[in-house]
């Protein structure tokens, strides 16, 4: 039966059978609850907020290995990190072992703690280039990519895969074993096929099969939305940690809530309207700090939409937020929807 490590962490906090420190290669995470990589979402401001709310590891949005080798300016901006968000994982995507290796060499002086390989992105443009989840069609190539990167870095190299490309090619176990053979330090498994994208239910049984087939840590991903589902995923699969992605959109508090549930069995109170308002404004301030007002406010539009989902008047409000162009208008509109008075 699965028995993860337990005891006390360096801060004297006792962890139970589900919440515990997690070692990936030579990197020790304070806990095993991880922010997953999301294109256009898990940027620096969002990662900082999730780290502050307890995430043991934050994963960056995927970056093209080829763009790194071309020294693309926009890519360099995406790769910026803050010391206070560490430990942090940089996710690369690509399909050519030599390019992945070269990109790994070129970022040798960057302070990323872990390098991850995207083998799960379902977007047609990425898949059409033989990248992302298309790599699952070729386990031999997976091993070559991981091996090439491991040879160029002292950092742990991990991979994120899906159940399979489609239901007729469910090969997560074979792909995980190939990654392990190449030297991967951990594997994250999303329990959906590429064909499913994000629809339907995640198949947790495939996560259990991967866990039983490899010796390195396995991170479960898919349909974790609160503490109870995080615990259920670990109970059913024996996985070593949980990766939370879409459930964190507009909800960075989910990490502290999951941790409280796993550690003490407590169901945390949801944030008050005041706390939600303050988080949105802090998020917007960070966007402006790192991206400037023009880009920052426009990128906040989707985040504000997620933060306000389900609130009274939020449907009308979401139509309004697409007209916001500066911080003053964002603050004023958010004050109304969250019921904040001067």
């Amino acid at each position: 039966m699965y028995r993860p490590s337990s005891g006390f962490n360096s801060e004297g906090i006792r962890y139970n059978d589900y919440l515990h420190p997690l070692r990936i290669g030579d990197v020790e995470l304070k806990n095993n609850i991880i922010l997953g990589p999301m294109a256009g979402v898990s940027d620096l401001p969002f990662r900082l907020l999730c780290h502050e709310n307890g995430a043991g590891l934050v994963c960056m949005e995927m970056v093209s290995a080829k763009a790194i080798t071309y020294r693309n300016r926009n890519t360099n901006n995406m790769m910026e990190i803050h010391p206070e968000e560490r430990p942090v994982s940089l996710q690369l995507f690509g399909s050519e072992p030599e390019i992945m290796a070269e990109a790994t060499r070129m970022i040798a002086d960057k302070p990323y703690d872990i390098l991850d390989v995207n083998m799960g992105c379902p977007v047609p443009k990425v898949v059409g280039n033989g990248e992302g989840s298309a790599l699952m069609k070729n386990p031999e190539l997976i091993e070559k990519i991981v091996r090439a990167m491991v040879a160029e870095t002292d950092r742990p190299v991990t991979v994120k895969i899906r159940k399979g490309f489609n239901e007729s090619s469910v090969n997560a176990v074979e792909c995980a074993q190939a990654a392990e053979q190449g030297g991967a330090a951990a594997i994250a498994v999303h329990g959906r096929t590429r064909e499913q994208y994000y629809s339907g239910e995640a198949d947790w049984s495939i996560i259990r099969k991967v866990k039983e087939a490899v010796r390195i840590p396995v991170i479960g991903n898919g349909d974790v939305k609160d503490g109870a589902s995080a615990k259920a995923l670990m109970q059913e699969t024996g996985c070593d940690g949980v990766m939370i992605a879409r459930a964190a959109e507009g909800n960075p508090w989910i990490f502290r809530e999951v941790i409280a549930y796993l550690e003490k069995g407590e169901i945390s109170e949801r944030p008050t309207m005041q706390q939600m308002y303050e988080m949105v404004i802090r998020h917007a301030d960070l966007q402006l700090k790192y991206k400037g007002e023009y880009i920052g406010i426009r990128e906040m539009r989707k985040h504000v939409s997620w933060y306000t989902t389900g609130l009274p008047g939020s449907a009308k409000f979401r139509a309004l937020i697409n007209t916001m162009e500066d911080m003053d208008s964002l603050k004023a509109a958010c004050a109304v929807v969250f019921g904040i008075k001067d």
Side-chain angles (χ1 to χ4, degrees), residues 223-273:
D223 293 350
V224 173
K225 59 184 184 301
D226 52 25
S229 53
K231 182 177 181 179
L233 173 60
M234 288 191 276
Q235 282 181 321
E236 291 184 25
T237 69
C239 65
D240 301 279
V242 170
M243 181 171 281
I244 299 173
R246 289 180 298 150
E249 293 174 345
N251 186 25
W253 304 277
I254 191 171
F255 295 97
R256 74 180 189 192
E257 292 170 0
V258 167
I259 289 168
Y261 185 90
L262 296 178
E263 190 174 34
K264 303 176 183 177
E266 296 177 352
I267 298 178
S268 304
E269 292 185 7
R270 292 297 295 159
T272 64
M273 297 288 266

Side-chain angles (χ1 to χ4, degrees), residues 9-59:
N9 69 3
S10 60
E11 297 172 335
I13 300 173
R14 182 172 179 82
Y15 287 77
N16 67 14
D17 283 343
Y18 299 103
L19 184 73
H20 56 85
L22 177 62
R23 179 171 288 275
I24 297 177
D26 60 357
V27 176
E28 180 156 340
L29 311 183
K30 65 181 179 180
N31 65 57
N32 55 340
I33 311 301
I34 297 167
L35 168 67
M38 292 179 283
V41 179
S42 54
D43 58 6
L44 195 162
F46 186 66
R47 296 193 309 269
L48 273 171
L49 298 178
C50 292
H51 174 86
E52 290 171 2
N53 277 274
L57 174 71
V58 293
C59 300

Side-chain angles (χ1 to χ4, degrees), residues 300-316:
M300 269 306 294
R301 291 172 179 174
K302 59 178 177 281
H303 291 285
V304 173
S305 179
W306 291 324
Y307 278 113
T308 57
T309 297
L311 295 181
S314 61
K316 182 179 179 181

